[in-house]
């Protein structure tokens, strides 16, 4: 039944309304024919009797009340999928844009996905070695986790994401079927091409699926982009058995698109104008990560978001942090000191870390080392604020050692080259070496056996400078 | 039944025009897929229904069918150890029917009606049974005995009774002659989730709920039948702390509601609880736990209902005479679900977009906690521990503030403590418990006469430290006189050696009250001894250098929970050191 309805009754922002329609299905896809023979796409977002309100992905510019015909397809938004999506580039709505033609679809999947039954999930426990000390030792990434990067404009989050993709090795002996899904939402052209270039340089491009909605692409399409990308990721993971790493940047643009849509719909705004259902909406994206019983693949998410005004309590990072399993927070302060990656470890956290490290996975001392580094570095902050009042010279001997520990920790442990890939052994040994700047009695977190084994008692061994080629 | 059809659809909100067929809070089936919904607003023009499932794929004109009864929980054997979604659909069953993802319109039975239970029927012919009285029992799990109670509102004389034996939940085992006619009694009953179940009378709450967590039991205790709020920003360790309570607290039954939280975390709880052994019964923890898992990506209206489903199941077991503890993680997600639905209804928002009825809903919910004499003559209790996730970790937001008004324990989780990996990150300066007066007689009688005194001293030292830290922040620790340095040093010992507790350490994850008391005794003992030294003009730096303070921080690991005598070695060591310093 291909009925086309002519004429609209209302256009408001990205929404159009059609009257006197029959058999409309909530959430179905509609095609909008303009009289210059272009077709746009939309989705039914509200029904009131015989009136349907449609969200137009490409925007409503040039649509008039009379020049338009609307066709209801009766189907929800679906994505065409086949194993050859690997290596392809799609628009933010899932249409191929790389000039390689349409995909020979083997399967269509609803982009909204379905919630994974908590009973069917497998609790993620295998750690992913990224070769980045601060992440591996302190914010360990686990396969099936969702671990966002909280960044700000001007910080090197893209570089960090690229380094993670290049160096990520998944432990375990099985043959690694590794794929990357990259979703760009409202990012600049050069950011997208930077990712593309880096993927090509490191030879993973044929394992990457890209969904690009750039900053000059239609805003409302952006609401679809993460859903489309995650549908592809779920297909690769749970149908084809890949271990998929999903990079989504920038979730802030996504949330702004959602706000624009919500306000044009006339909804009551919540905090900072974002819709009251932002949390539920975010979770419908972030919760699509994990592992499922009787399936080999996994979906690991690294969403990137820029914190407006560097404010971690802004609703976007705030609500994200409540859903994701931790966060990697970048700091402008460290960035200014020339430290890369500028990870502020104190507010950073990996919730799944505790069960994915230790003797069975990394090394027996990992948890204790991490705890002790966190505790000692937290103390460094207190000493620094004291030093800023009374001056470093007036600190007692212990506190002076904390100051030294703090700067060495930042300079040699957190700081590393974008191409440097450290093994977990190196990272853990380095951590102990730096901790050994502090007297043993200050390390209250460590059990005595572990401390005996790893603490560097011979302070002669603690000169870092000559070793600098190791850390440069 | 009726010819009501869908008129409008907006997210989870469905409207039906010009209908008088429905009543408020009635459960309905929506559309051809028979999605479950509940009537939330009625007027002559329209009926508004919230759907407990995703509404994508619905079309106007599809039927809406009323069930004639309110959203209800099904109460009977098979609840314990089960994992339900927000409206009591068993998730394992859903997995069997439809695989790893939760589809829409999945109609499964709330409880297994094929399973046979070995029931011992205690009712006798001609016996007069009143509402809430026990008429049969069976072993639901190795550790929990299920007691079947006459449904509330039914009173009568037994005119027919089946012998003890194997029955399914829908089998009629008893017939009662009541004023309104003959009533068939089966092994299950329904109860509307939004209405508290009836009790005989409330009892005073004077027994603590022992959690084995030092900062709770010793410093900010909670009573059985009490309620507590656990607010904390993300990463402050709310979920971890809730898990610890669920694992170790001395309630008979735990209802764990994962309300709008992470899927992977729910899986962790489920896996962990089937491996853990309950120290009291020697059986797996899951045999005393009921899980409700409505993760954040499951439908929002079912999230709103999950809290009520949880408390109704808790009340059912309380009525049997059990002490039940309910953990709700997190009530903020529940409040946000209220806000989301209220927004769709275009209601006038109050504070921060929350509906004006948020406050009354919160108070109604927390009032369902309590210790009571039940209709069956037994006593039982429900303790509610609600986690709150304040936006931006700002405790002045409406959910935290209003929850604080209706609970008597406030365990504030502190981001800075969590950053320093001080767990449980309960901030001792912001938290409080109002149960001291109710519980101290119990502590004195069952733990030791000095327990409240030690607590008081510990709290005083911590407060003193807080005051002194203001000065230290400005001028450093070195300028303080020795007696103040002692307070700082002792507070450090209390923080590292007492308040901080390692959930992953075999001896430290659960600590019995007696050990908690002994640890406090040792700390206070050292404090008093060193204070005397200082009056005798021995510099405190000597004491610190002797290593006695850092020695005591290890006592939590080195004194086994089952051999408290070992703690006296510390007294000997303190005495020796002190003697050495004097001479």
């Amino acid at each position: 039944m291909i009925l086309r309805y002519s004429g609209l009754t209302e256009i408001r922002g990205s929404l159009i309304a059609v009257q006197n329609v029959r058999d409309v299905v909530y959430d179905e896809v509609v095609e909008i024919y303009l009289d210059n023979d272009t077709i746009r796409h939309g989705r039914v977002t509200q029904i009131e009797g015989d009136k349907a309100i449609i969200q137009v992905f490409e925007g409503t510019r040039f649509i008039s009340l009379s020049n338009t015909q609307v066709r209801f397809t009766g189907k929800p938004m679906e994505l065409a999928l086949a194993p050859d999506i690997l290596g392809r580039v799609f628009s933010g709505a899932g249409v191929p844009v790389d000039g390689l033609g349409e995909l020979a679809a083997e399967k269509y999947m609803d982009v909204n996905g379905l919630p994974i039954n908590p009973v069917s999930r497998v609790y993620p426990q295998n750690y992913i070695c990224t070769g980045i000390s601060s992440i591996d030792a302190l914010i360990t990434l686990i396969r099936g986790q969702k671990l966002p990067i909280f960044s700000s404009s001007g910080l090197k989050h893209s570089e960090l994401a690229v380094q993670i993709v290049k160096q990520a090795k998944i432990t375990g002996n099985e043959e690694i079927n590794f794929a990357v899904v990259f979703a760009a939402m409202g990012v600049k052209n050069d950011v997208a091409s930077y990712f593309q270039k880096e993927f090509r340089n490191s030879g993973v491009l044929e394992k990457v699926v890209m969904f690009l909605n750039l900053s000059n692409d239609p805003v409302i399409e952006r609401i679809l982009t993460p859903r489309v990308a995650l549908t592809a990721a779920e297909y690769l993971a749970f149908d084809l058995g890949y271990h998929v790493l999903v990079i989504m940047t920038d979730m802030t643009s996504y949330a702004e698109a959602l706000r624009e849509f919500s306000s044009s719909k006339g909804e009551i705004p919540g905090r900072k104008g974002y819709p009251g259902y932002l949390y539920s909406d975010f979770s419908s994206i972030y919760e699509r990560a994990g592992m499922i019983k009787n399936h080999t693949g996994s979906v690991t998410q690294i969403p990137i978001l820029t914190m407006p005004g560097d404010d971690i309590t802004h609703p976007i990072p705030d609500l994200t942090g409540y859903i994701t399993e931790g966060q990697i927070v970048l700091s402008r302060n460290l960035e200014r000191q020339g430290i890369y990656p500028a990870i502020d470890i104190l507010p950073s956290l990996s919730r799944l870390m505790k069960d994915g490290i230790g003797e069975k996975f990394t090394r027996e001392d990992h948890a204790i080392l991490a705890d002790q580094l966190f505790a000692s570095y937290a103390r460094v902050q207190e000493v620094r604020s004291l030093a800023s009042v009374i001056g470093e010279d007036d600190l007692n001997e212990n506190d002076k050692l904390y100051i030294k520990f703090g700067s060495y920790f930042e300079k040699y442990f957190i700081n590393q080259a974008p191409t440097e890939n450290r093994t977990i052994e190196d990272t853990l040994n380095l951590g102990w070496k730096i901790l050994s700047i502090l007297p043993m009695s200050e390390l209250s977190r460590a059990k005595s056996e572990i401390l005996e084994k790893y603490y560097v008692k011979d302070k002669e061994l603690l000169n870092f400078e000559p070793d600098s080629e190791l850390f440069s | 039944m009726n010819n009501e059809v869908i008129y409008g659809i907006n997210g989870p909100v469905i409207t039906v025009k010009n209908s008088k067929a429905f009543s408020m809070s009635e459960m309905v089936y929506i559309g051809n897929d028979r999605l479950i919904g509940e009537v939330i607003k009625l007027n002559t023009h329209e009926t508004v229904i919230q759907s407990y499932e995703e509404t994508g794929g619905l079309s106007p004109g599809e039927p809406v069918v009323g069930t004639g009864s309110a959203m209800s929980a099904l109460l009977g054997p098979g609840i314990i150890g089960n994992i339900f979604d927000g409206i009591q659909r068993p998730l394992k069953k859903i997995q069997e029917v439809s695989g790893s993802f939760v589809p829409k319109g999945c109609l499964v039975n709330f409880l297994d009606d094929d399973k046979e239970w070995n029931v011992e029927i205690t009712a006798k012919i001609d016996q007069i049974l009143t509402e809430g009285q026990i008429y049969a029992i069976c072993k639901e799990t190795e550790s929990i005995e299920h007691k079947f109670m006459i449904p509330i509102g039914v009173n009568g004389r037994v005119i027919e009774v089946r012998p003890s034996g194997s029955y399914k939940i829908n089998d009629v085992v008893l017939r009662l002659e009541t004023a309104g006619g003959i009533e068939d009694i089966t092994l299950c009953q329904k109860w509307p989730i939004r209405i508290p179940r009836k009790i005989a009378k409330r009892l005073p709450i004077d027994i603590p709920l022992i959690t084995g967590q030092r900062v709770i039991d010793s410093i900010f205790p909670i009573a059985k039948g009490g309620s507590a709020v656990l607010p904390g920003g993300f990463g402050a360790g709310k979920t971890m702390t809730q898990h610890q309570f669920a694992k170790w607290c001395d309630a008979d039954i735990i209802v764990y509601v994962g309300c709008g939280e992470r899927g992977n975390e729910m899986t962790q709880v489920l896996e962990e609880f089937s491996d853990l052994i309950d120290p009291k019964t020697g059986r797996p923890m899951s045999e005393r736990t009921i899980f409700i898992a409505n993760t954040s990506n499951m439908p929002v209206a079912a999230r709103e209902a999950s809290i009520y489903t949880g408390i109704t199941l808790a009340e059912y077991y309380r009525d049997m005479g059990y002490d039940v503890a309910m953990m709700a993680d997190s009530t903020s997600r529940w409040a946000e679900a209220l806000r989301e639905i209220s927004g769709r209804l275009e209601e006038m928002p109050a504070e921060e977009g929350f509906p004006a009825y948020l406050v009354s809903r919160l108070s109604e919910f927390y009032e369902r906690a309590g210790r009571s004499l039940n209709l069956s003559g037994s006593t039982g209790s429900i303790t509610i521990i609600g986690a709150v996730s304040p936006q931006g970790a700002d405790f002045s937001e409406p959910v935290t503030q209003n929850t604080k008004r209706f609970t008597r324990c406030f365990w504030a989780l502190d981001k800075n403590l969590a950053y320093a990996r001080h767990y449980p990150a309960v901030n001792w300066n912001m938290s409080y418990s109002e149960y001291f007066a109710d519980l101290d007689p119990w502590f004195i009688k069952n733990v030791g006469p000095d327990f409240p005194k030690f607590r008081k001293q510990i709290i005083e030292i911590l407060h003193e430290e807080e005051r002194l830290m203001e000065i230290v922040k400005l001028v450093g620790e070195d300028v303080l006189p020795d007696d103040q340095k002692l307070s700082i040093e002792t507070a450090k010992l209390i923080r590292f050696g007492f308040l901080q507790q390692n959930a992953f350490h075999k001896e430290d994850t659960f600590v019995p009250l007696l050990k908690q008391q002994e640890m406090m005794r040792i700390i206070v003992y050292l404090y008093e001894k060193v204070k005397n030294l200082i009056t005798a003009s021995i510099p405190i730096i000597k004491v610190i250098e002797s290593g006695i303070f850092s020695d005591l921080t290890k006592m939590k690991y080195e004194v086994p929970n089952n051999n408290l005598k070992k703690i006296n070695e510390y007294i000997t060591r303190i005495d020796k050191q002190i003697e050495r310093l004097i001479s």
Side-chain angles (χ1 to χ4, degrees):
Chain A
M1 180 186 74
I2 303 175
L3 252 176
R4 286 192 189 186
Y5 293 94
S6 285
L8 310 174
T9 52
E10 195 182 346
I11 303 173
R12 188 174 35 163
S14 59
L15 300 174
I16 58 174
V18 193
Q19 201 89 38
N20 297 322
V21 291
R22 295 185 51 200
D23 297 324
V24 188
V25 180
Y26 186 71
D27 214 28
E28 74 176 306
V29 171
V30 290
E31 291 171 349
I32 301 142
Y33 297 82
L34 271 65
D35 56 4
N36 59 1
D37 286 336
T38 53
I39 303 177
R40 295 190 192 177
H41 298 84
R43 198 174 58 139
V44 177
T45 66
Q46 195 174 339
I47 303 174
E48 260 181 74
D50 58 358
K51 178 176 156 192
I53 295 174
I54 297 160
Q55 170 193 37
V56 185
F57 300 136
E58 293 92 341
T60 49
R61 190 170 296 169
F62 305 126
I63 294 184
S64 83
L65 293 179
S66 55
N67 72 349
T68 313
Q69 292 189 322
V70 177
R71 188 176 83 89
F72 292 89
T73 63
K75 279 189 300 192
M77 184 72 199
E78 284 179 333
L79 182 68
L81 292 162
D84 341 327
I85 55 168
L86 285 171
R88 298 290 304 267
V89 182
F90 300 87
S91 77
V95 181
V97 291
D98 49 5
L100 297 174
E102 287 290 318
L103 199 72
E106 285 190 358
K107 189 175 181 182
Y108 289 88
M109 279 166 79
D110 183 347
V111 299
N112 290 316
L114 287 171
I116 302 176
N117 190 331
V119 177
S120 310
R121 281 181 184 268
V122 177
Y123 183 58
Q125 277 187 323
N126 297 64
Y127 97 106
I128 301 178
C129 182
T130 64
I132 299 166
S133 291
S134 40
I135 295 181
D136 287 349
L138 304 169
I139 328 161
T140 317
L141 178 64
I142 306 288
R143 187 156 79 191
Q145 186 174 20
K146 37 193 182 294
L147 188 64
I149 300 177
F150 286 9
S151 183
S152 297
S153 351
L155 302 185
K156 297 198 175 71
H157 42 264
S158 302
E159 284 80 350
L160 180 59
V162 164
Q163 191 177 4
I164 294 175
V165 169
K166 281 194 203 160
Q167 298 180 176
K169 278 196 231 81
I170 293 170
T171 50
N173 322 333
E174 72 238 64
E175 189 58 37
I176 291 163
N177 249 337
F178 183 67
V180 176
V181 172
F182 178 78
M185 290 154 285
V187 299
K188 294 172 79 68
N189 249 300
D190 12 336
V191 174
S193 44
Y194 168 77
F195 274 98
Q196 221 158 353
K197 189 185 90 201
E198 290 294 325
F199 290 153
R200 184 176 305 117
N201 288 349
S202 50
V204 292
L205 199 59
E206 71 277 10
K207 293 276 186 196
V208 179
V209 194
M210 297 188 109
F211 294 91
L212 304 180
N213 171 286
L214 303 177
S215 44
N216 53 347
D217 285 335
V219 173
I220 298 301
E221 188 187 275
R222 223 161 270 169
I223 297 175
L224 279 181
T225 310
R227 299 193 160 79
V228 170
L230 287 164
T231 306
E234 282 171 357
Y235 168 73
L236 288 171
F238 304 130
D239 283 26
L240 304 182
Y242 282 92
H243 291 298
V244 187
L245 191 62
V246 185
I247 312 260
M248 299 188 286
T249 179
D250 167 352
M251 289 304 291
T252 306
S253 307
Y254 167 82
E256 280 160 357
L258 198 68
R259 175 166 68 176
E260 194 175 324
F261 160 68
S262 161
S263 81
S264 68
K265 212 174 156 193
E267 291 173 334
I268 293 171
R271 251 198 319 165
K272 299 220 171 176
Y274 291 95
Y277 50 80
L278 187 62
Y279 179 83
S280 303
D281 190 275
F282 267 169
S283 52
S284 71
I285 295 173
Y286 295 136
E287 276 292 331
R288 291 172 78 176
M291 292 160 74
I292 299 182
K293 279 176 196 154
N294 307 322
H295 289 75
T296 45
S298 64
V299 177
T300 309
Q301 283 187 18
I302 303 190
I304 298 173
L305 57 88
T306 48
M307 297 183 277
D310 292 5
D311 176 11
I312 200 172
T313 65
H314 185 281
I316 296 172
D318 193 42
L319 295 180
T320 300
Y322 276 123
I323 305 165
T324 54
E325 284 132 357
Q327 63 276 339
I328 297 173
V329 183
L330 299 188
S331 133
R332 200 174 291 282
N333 198 6
L334 288 175
E335 173 85 19
R336 281 202 202 105
Q337 296 170 42
I339 286 166
Y340 169 88
I343 297 177
D344 187 356
I345 62 149
L346 292 180
S348 300
L349 170 75
S350 164
R351 289 169 186 273
L352 300 184
M353 167 176 175
K354 56 186 189 300
D355 297 303
I357 61 171
E359 219 169 345
K360 259 168 51 200
F361 304 95
T362 56
R363 211 167 76 179
E364 42 157 4
D365 57 315
H366 190 157
I368 288 172
L369 173 71
D371 258 8
Q372 187 61 57
L373 282 172
F374 275 118
S376 301
Y377 192 61
R379 171 89 181 118
V380 168
Q381 309 307 314
E382 284 170 28
V383 176
R384 278 182 182 165
S385 64
L386 177 62
S388 69
V389 180
I390 62 171
E392 243 175 72
D393 291 348
D394 287 340
L395 292 177
N396 66 31
E397 286 312 308
N398 248 346
D399 286 352
K400 279 183 186 156
L401 286 175
Y402 271 105
I403 295 277
K404 183 175 175 198
F405 162 77
S407 61
Y408 275 58
F409 176 71
E410 287 161 3
K411 208 162 149 198
Y412 298 113
F413 190 83
I414 297 185
N415 193 26
Q416 71 185 81
T419 50
E420 189 184 348
N421 192 350
R422 294 184 192 157
T423 64
I424 185 76
E425 287 279 314
D426 280 351
T427 289
L428 297 178
N429 290 341
L430 179 60
W432 281 112
K433 198 169 161 190
I434 292 174
L435 265 185
S436 304
I437 292 172
L438 298 172
M440 212 177 198
S441 58
E442 285 293 310
L443 309 184
S444 65
R445 296 307 181 93
K447 271 191 250 157
S448 11
E449 316 88 86
I450 297 281
L451 210 52
E452 277 305 316
K453 190 164 165 192
Y454 293 100
Y455 185 83
V456 184
K457 290 197 193 87
D458 186 354
K459 302 287 172 190
E460 291 295 306
L461 294 174
L462 290 184
N463 53 349
F464 290 86
E465 310 301 342
D467 281 7
S468 56
E469 74 274 7
L470 204 125
F471 303 112
S472 61
Chain B
M1 265 206 278
N2 54 40
N3 301 318
E4 309 306 331
V5 294
I6 300 176
Y7 177 78
I9 306 163
N10 180 13
V13 175
I14 308 285
T15 46
V16 174
K17 273 276 172 210
N18 302 325
S19 167
K20 286 184 182 154
F22 302 109
S23 55
M24 215 35 197
S25 301
E26 182 177 347
M27 183 177 135
V28 295
Y29 293 113
I30 308 158
N32 300 327
D33 285 343
R34 292 172 72 81
L35 310 182
I36 297 176
E38 180 181 6
V39 177
I40 51 173
K41 194 168 140 188
L42 275 178
N43 60 39
T44 47
H45 315 294
E46 61 173 14
T47 305
V48 181
I49 295 161
Q50 66 174 348
S51 167
Y52 288 118
E53 305 186 55
E54 289 301 329
T55 49
L58 283 180
S59 202
E62 288 187 35
V64 178
V65 182
T67 60
S69 59
M71 260 320 285
S72 298
L74 184 65
L75 305 171
I79 293 176
I80 304 259
N82 218 327
I83 304 144
F84 301 104
D85 77 350
I87 49 172
Q88 214 202 346
R89 288 181 303 186
L91 288 167
K92 279 186 184 150
K93 195 84 198 166
I94 292 181
Q95 179 182 243
E96 277 169 35
V97 176
S98 39
S100 309
F101 293 88
V102 183
K104 314 183 268 238
C106 188
L107 290 177
V108 291
N109 290 324
F110 288 0
L111 296 175
D112 190 346
D113 51 7
D114 279 333
K115 185 165 174 170
E116 302 219 328
W117 297 92
N118 200 358
V119 181
E120 186 197 337
I121 294 172
T122 53
K124 300 276 178 305
I125 199 97
D126 278 341
Q127 188 183 355
I128 303 290
L129 286 174
T130 54
E131 55 177 11
Q133 264 192 305
I134 294 164
Y135 62 86
I137 48 178
C138 83
K139 251 192 157 24
E140 184 168 356
T141 68
E142 282 304 315
S143 30
I144 300 293
E145 191 165 73
H146 194 102
K147 295 168 185 153
F148 298 92
M149 296 166 291
I150 300 288
I152 289 168
V154 177
N155 301 290
R157 186 175 63 92
V158 179
I159 52 168
E160 201 182 322
V161 59
R162 306 285 303 270
S164 299
S166 279
Y167 296 98
K168 296 177 183 171
I169 55 169
N170 287 320
D171 292 343
V172 175
V173 294
L174 212 61
R175 281 215 161 84
L176 292 186
E177 184 187 60
T178 70
I182 307 288
E183 283 273 349
D184 289 346
I185 306 289
T186 63
L187 295 179
C188 63
Q189 52 181 294
K190 283 186 164 184
W191 185 261
I193 58 172
R194 296 184 196 276
I195 300 171
R197 281 174 64 85
K198 207 168 152 187
I199 51 168
K201 86 170 193 237
R202 280 191 178 255
L203 296 175
I205 43 180
D206 46 18
I207 304 169
L209 181 79
I210 296 156
T211 65
Q213 311 304 306
R214 286 185 292 261
V215 65
I216 303 302
D217 294 349
S218 294
I219 314 289
F220 305 113
I222 181 169
K224 285 200 173 95
S227 52
V229 53
L230 186 71
F234 62 82
K238 280 186 305 298
T239 304
M240 206 43 227
T241 314
Q242 290 274 42
H243 287 192
Q244 284 296 98
F245 293 155
K247 277 184 216 164
W248 302 117
C249 80
D250 68 341
D252 301 314
I253 289 170
I254 308 290
V255 180
Y256 193 94
V257 184
C259 170
E261 288 290 307
R262 304 174 182 88
N264 280 335
E265 257 167 23
M266 251 0 264
T267 312
Q268 182 202 1
V269 186
L270 300 180
E271 285 184 8
E272 223 171 26
F273 276 56
S274 22
D275 295 344
L276 274 172
I277 299 297
D278 181 358
K280 273 197 306 183
T281 56
R283 303 289 311 169
M285 284 290 188
S286 52
E287 285 187 7
R288 65 156 197 179
T289 314
I290 303 163
F291 297 101
I292 295 181
N294 208 87
T295 58
S296 56
N297 56 340
M298 286 157 83
V300 65
R303 188 198 305 164
E304 192 267 330
S306 63
I307 292 276
Y308 294 103
T309 305
I311 193 85
T312 306
L313 300 183
E315 285 175 343
Y316 180 58
Y317 284 92
R318 172 206 61 199
D319 290 350
M320 294 180 201
Y322 291 111
D323 289 320
V324 186
M326 169 162 164
M327 324 292 155
D329 186 15
S330 130
T331 55
S332 291
R333 305 292 160 239
W334 167 77
E336 279 162 17
L338 274 186
R339 175 167 71 182
E340 198 172 321
I341 292 157
S342 156
R344 303 260 189 197
L345 297 178
E346 299 179 351
E347 291 172 338
M348 183 69 91
E351 260 179 298
E352 298 215 11
F354 288 104
Y357 47 79
L358 172 72
V359 184
S360 56
R361 295 280 170 91
L362 276 171
S363 68
E364 274 167 24
F365 168 66
Y366 282 102
E367 273 309 290
R368 289 174 82 166
R371 198 162 154 262
S372 55
L373 181 65
N374 301 319
L375 295 172
S376 64
S378 58
T379 57
S381 69
I382 296 181
T383 313
I384 301 181
I385 301 173
V388 173
S389 323
Q391 300 162 348
D394 168 15
F395 289 173
S396 66
E397 56 92 40
V399 182
T400 315
Q401 281 308 314
N402 289 313
T403 309
K404 209 171 165 180
R405 289 165 57 202
F406 307 116
T407 53
R408 290 175 65 198
C409 269
F410 186 73
W411 299 326
L413 296 182
D414 182 342
K415 222 172 180 171
N416 291 325
L417 289 175
Y419 284 179
R421 300 312 188 252
H422 173 119
Y423 291 123
V426 177
N427 182 307
W428 47 91
N429 292 317
M430 287 157 76
S431 306
Y432 60 77
S433 164
E434 292 176 13
Y435 291 112
F436 290 146
D438 302 308
L439 297 178
D440 276 350
W442 188 94
F443 282 120
I444 289 170
K445 186 163 160 240
N446 294 283
V447 189
D450 294 331
F451 192 88
K453 196 183 82 193
F454 291 148
R455 173 205 303 142
K456 195 160 162 267
Q457 269 174 302
I458 297 266
I459 292 178
E460 271 169 13
I461 296 171
L462 288 170
H463 280 302
E464 168 86 357
E465 186 210 23
E466 191 203 9
R467 199 175 58 78
L468 293 173
M469 283 319 269
E470 297 293 312
I471 306 171
V472 172
K473 265 185 210 147
L474 289 178
V475 293
E477 201 180 313
D478 292 348
V479 298
L480 293 182
D482 269 8
D483 59 332
Q484 297 189 341
K485 271 189 196 153
L486 170 62
S487 295
I488 289 196
E489 210 52 44
T490 316
K492 216 196 252 171
L493 167 61
I494 295 171
R495 284 193 279 132
F496 291 134
F498 188 76
L499 297 177
Q500 229 174 59
Q501 195 165 343
N502 188 342
F504 304 106
H505 191 282
K506 182 167 62 61
E507 295 292 337
D508 208 30
T509 184
F510 171 90
V511 181
L513 278 182
L514 265 179
K515 179 169 165 191
Q516 298 188 21
Q517 176 183 257
E518 290 314 301
M519 287 174 75
M520 288 198 287
R521 182 197 305 281
I522 303 266
I523 293 169
V524 171
Y525 182 80
L526 175 69
Y527 177 77
E528 299 291 347
K529 284 280 170 182
V530 177
K531 210 167 168 185
N532 291 340
L533 283 188
I534 290 169
T535 27
S537 310
I538 291 171
I540 184 159
I541 186 78
K542 286 246 155 76
V543 189
I544 295 172
E545 276 168 0
S546 76
I548 191 75
F549 281 100
S550 53
D551 185 32
L552 285 197
T553 55
K554 303 262 186 312
M555 78 182 149
K556 59 181 172 184
Y557 298 135
E558 279 161 16
V559 178
N561 288 338
N562 53 13
N563 184 10
L564 286 187
K565 288 215 184 75
K566 217 172 160 218
I567 209 149
N568 293 328
E569 291 173 15
Y570 285 90
I571 300 261
T572 331
R573 264 189 265 176
I574 293 173
D575 287 345
K576 245 188 221 152
Q577 286 292 352
I578 301 277
E579 228 161 274
R580 198 178 57 84
L581 287 168
I582 294 174
S583 59

